[in-house]
Tab-separated table of all heavy atoms in Angstrom:
chain	number	residue	atom	x	y	z
A	1	HIS	N	-31.143	18.223	154.062
A	1	HIS	CA	-31.501	18.864	152.796
A	1	HIS	C	-30.949	20.268	152.668
A	1	HIS	O	-31.123	20.912	151.644
A	1	HIS	CB	-33.027	18.890	152.633
A	1	HIS	CG	-33.632	17.526	152.664
A	1	HIS	ND1	-33.486	16.628	151.636
A	1	HIS	CD2	-34.329	16.886	153.619
A	1	HIS	CE1	-34.087	15.494	151.956
A	1	HIS	NE2	-34.605	15.630	153.151
A	2	GLY	N	-30.321	20.788	153.717
A	2	GLY	CA	-29.794	22.147	153.685
A	2	GLY	C	-30.014	22.811	155.016
A	2	GLY	O	-29.713	22.249	156.056
A	3	ALA	N	-30.574	24.009	154.996
A	3	ALA	CA	-30.819	24.758	156.226
A	3	ALA	C	-32.265	25.226	156.271
A	3	ALA	O	-32.861	25.530	155.237
A	3	ALA	CB	-29.890	25.964	156.307
A	4	THR	N	-32.810	25.269	157.464
A	4	THR	CA	-34.130	25.833	157.693
A	4	THR	C	-33.936	27.055	158.577
A	4	THR	O	-33.250	26.978	159.605
A	4	THR	CB	-35.058	24.826	158.396
A	4	THR	OG1	-35.202	23.679	157.564
A	4	THR	CG2	-36.425	25.436	158.666
A	5	VAL	N	-34.525	28.166	158.174
A	5	VAL	CA	-34.423	29.410	158.921
A	5	VAL	C	-35.839	29.843	159.284
A	5	VAL	O	-36.707	29.929	158.417
A	5	VAL	CB	-33.743	30.519	158.088
A	5	VAL	CG1	-33.596	31.786	158.910
A	5	VAL	CG2	-32.394	30.058	157.555
A	6	HIS	N	-36.066	30.100	160.550
A	6	HIS	CA	-37.359	30.596	161.031
A	6	HIS	C	-37.122	32.033	161.484
A	6	HIS	O	-36.332	32.274	162.395
A	6	HIS	CB	-37.852	29.740	162.197
A	6	HIS	CG	-39.144	30.212	162.778
A	6	HIS	ND1	-40.358	29.680	162.402
A	6	HIS	CD2	-39.413	31.173	163.690
A	6	HIS	CE1	-41.320	30.304	163.082
A	6	HIS	NE2	-40.771	31.211	163.860
A	7	VAL	N	-37.782	32.979	160.819
A	7	VAL	CA	-37.579	34.399	161.104
A	7	VAL	C	-38.903	35.011	161.537
A	7	VAL	O	-39.934	34.786	160.898
A	7	VAL	CB	-37.049	35.144	159.856
A	7	VAL	CG1	-36.841	36.610	160.139
A	7	VAL	CG2	-35.762	34.505	159.372
A	8	GLU	N	-38.861	35.802	162.604
A	8	GLU	CA	-40.050	36.497	163.093
A	8	GLU	C	-39.761	37.984	163.195
A	8	GLU	O	-38.637	38.384	163.484
A	8	GLU	CB	-40.450	35.973	164.468
A	8	GLU	CG	-40.821	34.510	164.466
A	8	GLU	CD	-41.185	34.000	165.846
A	8	GLU	OE1	-41.527	34.810	166.739
A	8	GLU	OE2	-41.126	32.777	166.035
A	9	GLY	N	-40.765	38.793	162.965
A	9	GLY	CA	-40.617	40.235	163.111
A	9	GLY	C	-41.615	40.967	162.238
A	9	GLY	O	-42.524	40.371	161.655
A	10	GLN	N	-41.428	42.263	162.138
A	10	GLN	CA	-42.277	43.084	161.280
A	10	GLN	C	-42.044	42.675	159.824
A	10	GLN	O	-40.940	42.265	159.454
A	10	GLN	CB	-41.951	44.566	161.470
A	10	GLN	CG	-42.165	45.069	162.876
A	10	GLN	CD	-43.638	44.985	163.283
A	10	GLN	OE1	-44.538	45.290	162.517
A	10	GLN	NE2	-43.874	44.551	164.512
A	11	ALA	N	-43.064	42.790	158.997
A	11	ALA	CA	-42.979	42.360	157.604
A	11	ALA	C	-41.787	42.976	156.880
A	11	ALA	O	-41.072	42.289	156.138
A	11	ALA	CB	-44.275	42.687	156.871
A	12	ALA	N	-41.538	44.260	157.097
A	12	ALA	CA	-40.411	44.928	156.427
A	12	ALA	C	-39.077	44.342	156.881
A	12	ALA	O	-38.152	44.186	156.077
A	12	ALA	CB	-40.455	46.427	156.694
A	13	ASP	N	-38.968	44.003	158.162
A	13	ASP	CA	-37.730	43.427	158.678
A	13	ASP	C	-37.500	42.018	158.133
A	13	ASP	O	-36.381	41.643	157.788
A	13	ASP	CB	-37.745	43.391	160.209
A	13	ASP	CG	-37.764	44.780	160.821
A	13	ASP	OD1	-37.233	45.721	160.185
A	13	ASP	OD2	-38.305	44.920	161.929
A	14	VAL	N	-38.557	41.236	158.053
A	14	VAL	CA	-38.445	39.884	157.505
A	14	VAL	C	-38.062	39.963	156.027
A	14	VAL	O	-37.208	39.206	155.551
A	14	VAL	CB	-39.752	39.089	157.711
A	14	VAL	CG1	-39.707	37.753	156.980
A	14	VAL	CG2	-40.015	38.886	159.203
A	15	SER	N	-38.649	40.891	155.302
A	15	SER	CA	-38.316	41.082	153.892
A	15	SER	C	-36.852	41.490	153.732
A	15	SER	O	-36.137	40.988	152.852
A	15	SER	CB	-39.236	42.135	153.275
A	15	SER	OG	-38.906	42.334	151.925
A	16	ALA	N	-36.371	42.382	154.589
A	16	ALA	CA	-34.975	42.811	154.536
A	16	ALA	C	-34.042	41.636	154.846
A	16	ALA	O	-32.988	41.486	154.220
A	16	ALA	CB	-34.736	43.954	155.514
A	17	PHE	N	-34.424	40.799	155.795
A	17	PHE	CA	-33.625	39.616	156.119
A	17	PHE	C	-33.500	38.722	154.896
A	17	PHE	O	-32.416	38.251	154.557
A	17	PHE	CB	-34.262	38.847	157.282
A	17	PHE	CG	-33.514	37.592	157.644
A	17	PHE	CD1	-32.502	37.635	158.582
A	17	PHE	CD2	-33.812	36.391	157.036
A	17	PHE	CE1	-31.794	36.480	158.914
A	17	PHE	CE2	-33.117	35.238	157.353
A	17	PHE	CZ	-32.109	35.281	158.290
A	18	ARG	N	-34.606	38.498	154.242
A	18	ARG	CA	-34.617	37.634	153.050
A	18	ARG	C	-33.714	38.199	151.953
A	18	ARG	O	-32.966	37.462	151.316
A	18	ARG	CB	-36.050	37.501	152.547
A	18	ARG	CG	-36.215	36.483	151.485
A	18	ARG	CD	-37.682	36.257	151.223
A	18	ARG	NE	-37.828	35.535	149.982
A	18	ARG	CZ	-38.884	35.585	149.232
A	18	ARG	NH1	-39.920	36.320	149.593
A	18	ARG	NH2	-38.950	34.892	148.132
A	19	THR	N	-33.750	39.508	151.758
A	19	THR	CA	-32.891	40.147	150.763
A	19	THR	C	-31.425	39.983	151.135
A	19	THR	O	-30.592	39.625	150.301
A	19	THR	CB	-33.249	41.639	150.633
A	19	THR	OG1	-34.609	41.744	150.201
A	19	THR	CG2	-32.341	42.346	149.655
A	20	ARG	N	-31.105	40.237	152.402
A	20	ARG	CA	-29.710	40.140	152.850
A	20	ARG	C	-29.214	38.705	152.877
A	20	ARG	O	-28.008	38.461	152.741
A	20	ARG	CB	-29.562	40.776	154.222
A	20	ARG	CG	-29.718	42.295	154.161
A	20	ARG	CD	-29.335	42.969	155.421
A	20	ARG	NE	-27.932	42.691	155.714
A	20	ARG	CZ	-27.394	42.824	156.913
A	20	ARG	NH1	-28.128	43.211	157.930
A	20	ARG	NH2	-26.112	42.554	157.116
A	21	LEU	N	-30.115	37.751	153.053
A	21	LEU	CA	-29.729	36.347	153.056
A	21	LEU	C	-29.002	36.007	151.759
A	21	LEU	O	-27.961	35.362	151.766
A	21	LEU	CB	-30.966	35.460	153.228
A	21	LEU	CG	-30.739	33.969	153.331
A	21	LEU	CD1	-29.939	33.629	154.579
A	21	LEU	CD2	-32.081	33.251	153.360
A	22	ARG	N	-29.522	36.462	150.656
A	22	ARG	CA	-28.873	36.226	149.353
A	22	ARG	C	-27.663	37.133	149.158
A	22	ARG	O	-26.600	36.690	148.739
A	22	ARG	CB	-29.863	36.454	148.226
A	22	ARG	CG	-30.859	35.342	148.066
A	22	ARG	CD	-31.566	35.464	146.714
A	22	ARG	NE	-32.568	34.446	146.544
A	22	ARG	CZ	-32.311	33.205	146.127
A	22	ARG	NH1	-31.091	32.854	145.845
A	22	ARG	NH2	-33.278	32.332	145.992
A	23	ALA	N	-27.815	38.402	149.450
A	23	ALA	CA	-26.768	39.388	149.164
A	23	ALA	C	-25.533	39.219	150.035
A	23	ALA	O	-24.418	39.476	149.583
A	23	ALA	CB	-27.328	40.795	149.325
A	24	ASP	N	-25.704	38.786	151.277
A	24	ASP	CA	-24.591	38.744	152.227
A	24	ASP	C	-24.106	37.338	152.559
A	24	ASP	O	-23.357	37.154	153.515
A	24	ASP	CB	-24.988	39.447	153.523
A	24	ASP	CG	-25.265	40.931	153.328
A	24	ASP	OD1	-24.891	41.469	152.274
A	24	ASP	OD2	-25.857	41.540	154.226
A	25	ALA	N	-24.527	36.349	151.788
A	25	ALA	CA	-24.070	34.979	152.049
A	25	ALA	C	-22.556	34.905	151.864
A	25	ALA	O	-22.008	35.540	150.960
A	25	ALA	CB	-24.759	34.002	151.109
A	26	PRO	N	-21.850	34.155	152.720
A	26	PRO	CA	-20.397	34.050	152.561
A	26	PRO	C	-20.028	33.359	151.245
A	26	PRO	O	-20.829	32.624	150.670
A	26	PRO	CB	-19.967	33.213	153.768
A	26	PRO	CG	-21.183	32.507	154.213
A	26	PRO	CD	-22.360	33.357	153.824
A	27	ALA	N	-18.810	33.608	150.794
A	27	ALA	CA	-18.349	33.133	149.483
A	27	ALA	C	-18.627	31.650	149.202
A	27	ALA	O	-19.103	31.333	148.127
A	27	ALA	CB	-16.873	33.443	149.310
A	28	PRO	N	-18.377	30.705	150.122
A	28	PRO	CA	-18.626	29.318	149.744
A	28	PRO	C	-20.101	28.932	149.730
A	28	PRO	O	-20.469	27.895	149.203
A	28	PRO	CB	-17.863	28.500	150.784
A	28	PRO	CG	-17.676	29.405	151.936
A	28	PRO	CD	-17.689	30.814	151.402
A	29	ALA	N	-20.971	29.767	150.301
A	29	ALA	CA	-22.396	29.422	150.367
A	29	ALA	C	-23.064	29.629	149.018
A	29	ALA	O	-22.721	30.530	148.259
A	29	ALA	CB	-23.091	30.284	151.412
A	30	ARG	N	-24.023	28.771	148.728
A	30	ARG	CA	-24.817	28.930	147.503
A	30	ARG	C	-26.268	28.601	147.833
A	30	ARG	O	-26.579	27.487	148.238
A	30	ARG	CB	-24.308	28.005	146.405
A	30	ARG	CG	-25.038	28.264	145.093
A	30	ARG	CD	-24.457	27.479	143.957
A	30	ARG	NE	-24.903	26.092	144.063
A	30	ARG	CZ	-24.140	25.049	143.824
A	30	ARG	NH1	-22.880	25.201	143.481
A	30	ARG	NH2	-24.607	23.833	143.938
A	31	LEU	N	-27.124	29.593	147.667
A	31	LEU	CA	-28.541	29.371	147.888
A	31	LEU	C	-29.157	28.889	146.582
A	31	LEU	O	-29.150	29.601	145.585
A	31	LEU	CB	-29.225	30.668	148.340
A	31	LEU	CG	-29.098	30.977	149.824
A	31	LEU	CD1	-27.789	31.675	150.079
A	31	LEU	CD2	-30.255	31.791	150.274
A	32	GLU	N	-29.663	27.684	146.602
A	32	GLU	CA	-30.289	27.134	145.410
A	32	GLU	C	-31.774	27.453	145.380
A	32	GLU	O	-32.359	27.545	144.318
A	32	GLU	CB	-30.054	25.636	145.337
A	32	GLU	CG	-28.588	25.299	145.136
A	32	GLU	CD	-28.326	23.813	145.066
A	32	GLU	OE1	-29.268	23.019	145.285
A	32	GLU	OE2	-27.176	23.444	144.813
A	33	ALA	N	-32.372	27.608	146.545
A	33	ALA	CA	-33.797	27.914	146.622
A	33	ALA	C	-34.105	28.542	147.969
A	33	ALA	O	-33.467	28.219	148.973
A	33	ALA	CB	-34.632	26.648	146.449
A	34	VAL	N	-35.065	29.435	147.974
A	34	VAL	CA	-35.578	30.012	149.209
A	34	VAL	C	-37.094	29.851	149.141
A	34	VAL	O	-37.729	30.335	148.217
A	34	VAL	CB	-35.203	31.506	149.357
A	34	VAL	CG1	-35.868	32.094	150.587
A	34	VAL	CG2	-33.691	31.671	149.420
A	35	GLU	N	-37.633	29.137	150.089
A	35	GLU	CA	-39.073	28.903	150.141
A	35	GLU	C	-39.621	29.606	151.370
A	35	GLU	O	-39.118	29.423	152.476
A	35	GLU	CB	-39.353	27.404	150.229
A	35	GLU	CG	-40.813	27.062	150.298
A	35	GLU	CD	-41.052	25.563	150.411
A	35	GLU	OE1	-40.083	24.790	150.407
A	35	GLU	OE2	-42.221	25.173	150.521
A	36	VAL	N	-40.632	30.433	151.177
A	36	VAL	CA	-41.246	31.156	152.286
A	36	VAL	C	-42.557	30.454	152.645
A	36	VAL	O	-43.421	30.273	151.796
A	36	VAL	CB	-41.504	32.631	151.912
A	36	VAL	CG1	-42.193	33.355	153.052
A	36	VAL	CG2	-40.194	33.313	151.537
A	37	VAL	N	-42.655	30.080	153.918
A	37	VAL	CA	-43.829	29.353	154.399
A	37	VAL	C	-44.305	30.030	155.687
A	37	VAL	O	-43.511	30.213	156.616
A	37	VAL	CB	-43.470	27.883	154.706
A	37	VAL	CG1	-44.661	27.127	155.249
A	37	VAL	CG2	-42.912	27.200	153.471
A	38	PRO	N	-45.573	30.421	155.776
A	38	PRO	CA	-46.071	30.994	157.033
A	38	PRO	C	-45.906	29.970	158.167
A	38	PRO	O	-46.056	28.769	157.963
A	38	PRO	CB	-47.554	31.249	156.758
A	38	PRO	CG	-47.658	31.308	155.271
A	38	PRO	CD	-46.605	30.366	154.743
A	39	ALA	N	-45.568	30.469	159.352
A	39	ALA	CA	-45.339	29.576	160.488
A	39	ALA	C	-45.892	30.210	161.757
A	39	ALA	O	-46.106	31.414	161.828
A	39	ALA	CB	-43.843	29.318	160.647
A	40	THR	N	-46.093	29.383	162.744
A	40	THR	CA	-46.548	29.848	164.040
A	40	THR	C	-45.378	30.504	164.771
A	40	THR	O	-44.296	29.911	164.850
A	40	THR	CB	-47.071	28.663	164.873
A	40	THR	OG1	-48.118	28.023	164.132
A	40	THR	CG2	-47.598	29.117	166.221
A	41	PRO	N	-45.565	31.708	165.300
A	41	PRO	CA	-44.473	32.374	166.022
A	41	PRO	C	-44.030	31.568	167.239
A	41	PRO	O	-44.830	30.909	167.896
A	41	PRO	CB	-45.083	33.704	166.464
A	41	PRO	CG	-46.286	33.900	165.613
A	41	PRO	CD	-46.768	32.536	165.234
A	42	THR	N	-42.733	31.625	167.527
A	42	THR	CA	-42.191	30.951	168.710
A	42	THR	C	-41.878	31.953	169.816
A	42	THR	O	-41.626	31.555	170.940
A	42	THR	CB	-40.907	30.171	168.368
A	42	THR	OG1	-39.934	31.083	167.865
A	42	THR	CG2	-41.187	29.085	167.344
A	43	PHE	N	-41.869	33.241	169.468
A	43	PHE	CA	-41.639	34.334	170.426
A	43	PHE	C	-40.297	34.226	171.157
A	43	PHE	O	-40.174	34.623	172.300
A	43	PHE	CB	-42.801	34.440	171.421
A	43	PHE	CG	-44.119	34.660	170.753
A	43	PHE	CD1	-45.037	33.625	170.651
A	43	PHE	CD2	-44.439	35.884	170.182
A	43	PHE	CE1	-46.259	33.820	170.014
A	43	PHE	CE2	-45.648	36.079	169.542
A	43	PHE	CZ	-46.569	35.051	169.463
A	44	ARG	N	-39.294	33.694	170.492
A	44	ARG	CA	-37.953	33.679	171.065
A	44	ARG	C	-37.394	35.095	171.049
A	44	ARG	O	-37.831	35.932	170.272
A	44	ARG	CB	-37.022	32.788	170.255
A	44	ARG	CG	-37.337	31.326	170.320
A	44	ARG	CD	-36.258	30.565	169.601
A	44	ARG	NE	-36.572	29.148	169.516
A	44	ARG	CZ	-35.733	28.247	169.072
A	44	ARG	NH1	-34.525	28.608	168.670
A	44	ARG	NH2	-36.068	26.985	169.018
A	45	THR	N	-36.410	35.316	171.874
A	45	THR	CA	-35.705	36.592	171.815
A	45	THR	C	-34.355	36.334	171.166
A	45	THR	O	-33.713	35.318	171.429
A	45	THR	CB	-35.515	37.204	173.215
A	45	THR	OG1	-34.818	36.280	174.025
A	45	THR	CG2	-36.854	37.542	173.848
């Protein structure tokens, strides 16, 4: 169905990631929808 992205961090950092996801997507990419869903942290580095 597309891509799933799991992002963890401080609220401001996650918000900045979401903003940059749209602004910095490469030319052929097209984001049709971004759905934010709370998730259990995985604590990856």
Side-chain angles (χ1 to χ4, degrees):
H1 301 288
T4 299
V5 182
H6 178 96
V7 180
E8 298 179 20
Q10 299 296 318
D13 295 331
V14 172
S15 179
F17 178 90
R18 189 170 166 206
T19 299
R20 290 191 61 199
L21 183 64
R22 285 195 182 277
D24 296 345
R30 186 174 77 220
L31 278 84
E32 294 180 354
V34 175
E35 180 181 358
V36 178
V37 178
T40 303
T42 60
F43 302 105
R44 292 186 186 188
T45 57

